[in-house]
Amino acid sequence: MKVYNTLTRRKEEFVPIEEGKVRMYVCGPTVYNLIHIGNARPMIIFDTVRRYFEYKGYEVNYVSNFTDVDDKIIRKAIEEGISSEEVSTRYIEECRKDMKGMNVRAATTHPQATLEIDGMIEMIQTLIDKGYAYVAQDGTVYFRVKRFSGYGKLSHKNLDDLQSGFRSLQVSGEEQKEDPLDFVLWKPKKEGEPYWESPWCQGRPGWHIECSVMSRKYLGEQIDIHAGGEDLIFPHHENEIAQSEACNGKEFARYWMHNAFLNIDNHKMSKSLGNFRTVREISEQYDLQVLRFFMLNAHYRSPLNFSAELMEASKNALGRIVECEERLTDRAGTGGALTEEEGRLLKEAEGYTCAFEKAMDDDFNTADALAAVFDLVRFSNSHVNETSSAAFAGALSGQLLKLCDVLGLQIQPAKEILDQEIEALIEERQAARKARDFARADEIRDELQKKGIYLKDTREGVKWQRI
Ligand code: AMP
Ligand code: ZN
C-alpha cells in the first residue's frame, strides 16, 4: 500500500510501527460555528482512509480533536453573552450531527483541548527544562525554534527565508521574543478570557501544543499517520513536529497526509473569507451522501472546486449505484441457485474488486476506486435480468455494498424505522381501510415492507415483524 508523505514528497510503502495496527491523528475543527464543506473534506477523506485500513485488516486507533479554546470561540461567546464552553459544547454537538449525516464515523477518541491542560503544562515544562523553550517577562512561554535542528523539514522551508519573511511581518508586543521565528506555547490571559493556572502565568495554551499533547496521550510518542488540510503544513504541523520531537526525542509521525483545498468559484473556501457553505445548508438540498460522493470523486491531493453542476452530477451518479443495488436486492429476494455460467461471471466480477483495491492501494485514489464501482454497476446491469438466480444477484449486491461501505457511501436506506413510527403507520393504515382507502392502505404496507417490516392481519389485530 502506497501513501504520499508530505515529509518526503514521495509515495512510500506503508509500514506500520506495530504490525496490524494503525495509529492516526487528524486535526479537527475549531468549534465556533457550524462546519463548512471545506472542513468536511478532511473528515470524509480520512474517514475513508480509516475504513480502507480496516478493510485491509488493520486495527485503527483514530484520534481527532476538537479545538475548543481559541480567539474566535471567545469572540463568539462575547457576542452572544455566553461562556466559551457553551459555544464549543453547542458546536461540537452540531458537528457530530453533520458527521453522522456524512456517514463519518466517530473517532476512537475525540479529545478536547480544554480537558487536557495538565498534559500541556507538563509538556511545556519539559521543553523549558530541556532548553527548547523560555519564559518571557510577561509569562508567555515561547518555543526556541533555532534550537530544534529539524525545523522546516515538513514544509520544506529554509530557516533563512522564513526569517526574512518574519522580520517584515513582526507585530508589536513580540519584541520579547529571542527570535522572530519563535512561537507561543503558553500565553497570558486577557481580560474576560478563560484561563488556567500555570507555573508561568494565568493563561491558556497555544494552538500547536494542544495536538502534540493529545496525540501523545491517546496514541503514544510515535504514530503512523498525522493528517489534516494542507493549510496546516505550516506552521501548525511544522510546530507540532518541533514540540513533539524536542520533548520525546523520537520521530513523531511517520507519514504526513494532507488534503488539498475545497474551493468555491476557484477561491479557497474559508470562514474568514465568508465565502463558505455549511454542511447543514447542503443537507437541506441534498442527502449528505451526495456530498460524500462529490468529495470522493476527486483525488484528495487535488484542489476541488465546488459547483452546483458537480453536485447535480454527483447526485445522478450516486443514484445509478442506488438503483442498481435496488434491482439486485429485488432479484435476490426471489430464490434460485447459481448456474455454472453465473459462477463464471462472478469470477469475472471479482476483477472489479481487484481494480478497486489497486486504486485505493495507490495513495487512496478514490476517484479510480469509484470508477471500478461503476464498472461493477454496468456489469450487474447488463448481466442480471428476470432469469438470473437469486444467488447470483445476491452475490453481486454483496460485492457492491462492500465496496461502497469502504468508501462510506450508504446506498441502502440507512435510517432504521422506530417502533413508534411503525405503530403510527399501522394505525394510519387501519384508518385508511376503515375509510375504504385501500390504495393508501396498500401503499403503507408496501412502504413498511421495503423497510423490512412485515404485517400480518390476525384476529387479535395487526401484528408486525422485522425481517
Ligand atoms: P479549522 O476549523 O479551520 O481549524 O479547520 C479544520 C480542518 O479543515 C483542517 O484540517 C483544515 O485544514 C481543513 N479545512 C479548512 N478549510 C478547508 C477547505 N476549504 N478545504 C479543505 N480543507 C479545509
Ligand atoms: Zn492539530
Side-chain angles (χ1 to χ4, degrees):
M1 226 174 138
K2 292 240 182 331
V3 177
Y4 182 88
N5 190 353
T6 308
L7 198 60
T8 56
R9 290 178 161 167
R10 281 189 290 116
K11 280 186 200 168
E12 291 175 26
E13 190 59 33
F14 179 76
V15 184
I17 295 170
E18 197 181 332
E19 212 185 312
K21 296 198 170 158
V22 179
R23 298 176 210 159
M24 68 186 283
Y25 187 96
V26 181
C27 291
T30 307
V31 279
Y32 67 101
N33 214 332
L34 289 174
I35 58 163
H36 63 67
I37 54 176
N39 302 132
R41 192 170 190 194
M43 286 180 182
I44 291 172
I45 294 300
F46 299 114
D47 177 64
T48 308
V49 166
R50 172 197 195 173
R51 286 168 183 266
Y52 189 60
F53 274 119
E54 289 180 348
Y55 169 79
K56 297 280 272 195
Y58 288 95
E59 189 186 306
V60 185
N61 190 347
Y62 188 99
V63 177
S64 189
N65 67 299
F66 287 117
T67 297
D68 62 350
V69 56
D70 173 270
D71 288 342
K72 287 166 272 185
I73 300 176
I74 295 170
R75 210 177 308 136
K76 179 98 173 185
I78 293 169
E79 267 168 36
E80 292 197 17
I82 54 175
S83 69
S84 294
E85 200 187 335
E86 280 170 285
V87 172
S88 56
T89 306
R90 181 202 301 161
Y91 290 111
I92 287 173
E93 227 168 87
E94 297 299 343
C95 178
R96 285 181 186 274
K97 283 187 207 156
D98 288 336
M99 283 168 62
K100 196 151 190 267
M102 297 186 293
N103 202 21
V104 168
R105 280 167 50 202
T108 316
T109 315
H110 278 291
Q112 280 171 242
T114 56
L115 304 176
E116 309 287 346
I117 303 288
D118 288 351
M120 294 176 206
I121 291 176
E122 191 195 314
M123 189 180 273
I124 296 170
Q125 189 59 56
T126 308
L127 289 170
I128 296 173
D129 295 345
K130 288 188 166 184
Y132 285 106
Y134 58 93
V135 190
Q137 214 162 19
D138 68 352
T140 307
V141 186
Y142 290 103
F143 187 90
R144 192 174 268 134
V145 167
K146 290 243 177 76
R147 177 73 215 290
F148 179 69
S149 62
Y151 199 79
K153 66 180 174 182
L154 180 71
S155 51
H156 306 276
K157 286 185 192 291
N158 163 311
L159 277 197
D160 294 334
D161 294 348
L162 275 176
Q163 195 131 25
S164 46
F166 267 76
R167 213 167 286 130
S168 53
L169 277 175
Q170 201 168 354
V171 288
S172 65
E174 297 216 322
E175 312 80 52
Q176 53 174 0
K177 281 189 189 181
E178 284 177 7
D179 189 290
L181 289 179
D182 296 349
F183 60 88
V184 170
L185 297 173
W186 186 268
K187 57 184 163 199
K189 66 167 186 190
K190 289 198 199 111
E191 199 44 47
E193 288 185 356
Y195 67 89
W196 290 264
E197 298 293 338
S198 83
W200 320 291
C201 63
Q202 290 179 331
R204 60 186 164 105
W207 171 36
H208 317 300
I209 196 76
E210 299 173 6
C211 290
S212 281
V213 168
M214 294 187 277
S215 171
R216 183 175 74 170
K217 176 161 173 191
Y218 295 99
L219 296 168
E221 290 180 346
Q222 285 192 291
I223 68 172
D224 295 294
I225 298 175
H226 196 113
E230 65 182 5
D231 58 324
L232 300 186
I233 298 173
F234 188 86
H236 187 52
H237 287 165
E238 195 69 64
N239 292 354
E240 278 191 46
I241 291 178
Q243 298 162 154
S244 296
E245 298 194 355
C247 177
N248 306 327
K250 289 187 184 131
E251 183 187 34
F252 177 30
R254 290 221 177 150
Y255 305 89
W256 288 84
M257 294 181 70
H258 295 99
N259 63 273
F261 257 57
L262 178 72
N263 298 324
I264 190 157
D265 302 326
N266 295 312
H267 290 290
K268 153 181 167 174
M269 180 180 298
S270 79
K271 286 178 196 159
S272 49
L273 291 174
N275 60 353
F276 61 88
R277 301 277 296 274
T278 62
V279 170
R280 204 55 63 84
E281 278 164 356
I282 299 298
S283 76
E284 283 156 15
Q285 210 180 338
Y286 294 99
D287 182 326
L288 289 175
Q289 294 306 296
V290 175
L291 183 67
R292 186 161 183 130
F293 182 97
F294 161 78
M295 301 276 186
L296 295 176
N297 207 21
H299 194 277
Y300 77 92
R301 284 189 290 111
S302 306
L304 177 58
N305 202 41
F306 179 82
S307 72
E309 295 78 47
L310 279 179
M311 283 297 284
E312 277 304 306
S314 299
K315 182 179 164 186
N316 294 335
L318 185 65
R320 289 214 304 279
I321 306 180
V322 173
E323 246 169 56
C324 173
E325 172 52 30
E326 277 172 3
R327 275 192 60 217
L328 293 176
T329 318
D330 279 354
R331 193 69 226 141
T334 56
L338 203 67
T339 66
E340 208 170 298
E341 169 63 3
E342 287 174 340
R344 194 193 59 72
L345 285 168
L346 282 185
K347 273 261 163 320
E348 193 182 323
E350 278 170 21
Y352 303 118
T353 295
C354 295
F356 177 95
E357 289 177 4
K358 190 158 169 260
M360 292 297 279
D361 281 343
D362 182 16
D363 190 32
F364 309 98
N365 192 333
T366 52
D368 283 1
L370 273 174
V373 169
F374 279 106
D375 285 340
L376 177 60
V377 165
R378 269 186 292 275
F379 180 91
S380 304
N381 286 343
S382 61
H383 291 289
V384 175
N385 53 42
E386 315 75 62
T387 63
S388 302
S389 73
F392 181 56
L396 288 172
S397 155
Q399 188 180 355
L400 186 59
L401 281 172
K402 191 160 185 184
L403 299 187
C404 287
D405 188 51
V406 176
L407 298 175
L409 290 171
Q410 282 172 328
I411 56 168
Q412 277 186 321
K415 288 177 208 104
E416 200 184 294
I417 184 162
L418 301 172
D419 289 4
Q420 306 98 281
E421 292 176 276
I422 299 170
E423 308 280 10
L425 280 170
I426 292 175
E427 257 182 54
E428 198 196 323
R429 178 168 169 263
Q430 295 300 83
R433 281 175 142 191
K434 240 189 183 153
R436 307 192 66 78
D437 183 359
F438 296 114
R440 175 65 190 142
D442 288 347
E443 199 178 83
I444 293 172
R445 192 201 50 222
D446 294 344
E447 203 179 307
L448 284 168
Q449 213 161 68
K450 269 198 194 136
K451 293 183 168 138
I453 312 298
Y454 285 80
L455 305 185
K456 220 161 136 193
D457 294 307
T458 70
R459 233 181 272 170
E460 295 88 50
V462 183
K463 295 247 159 76
W464 60 269
Q465 201 182 358
R466 286 180 199 271
I467 306 282

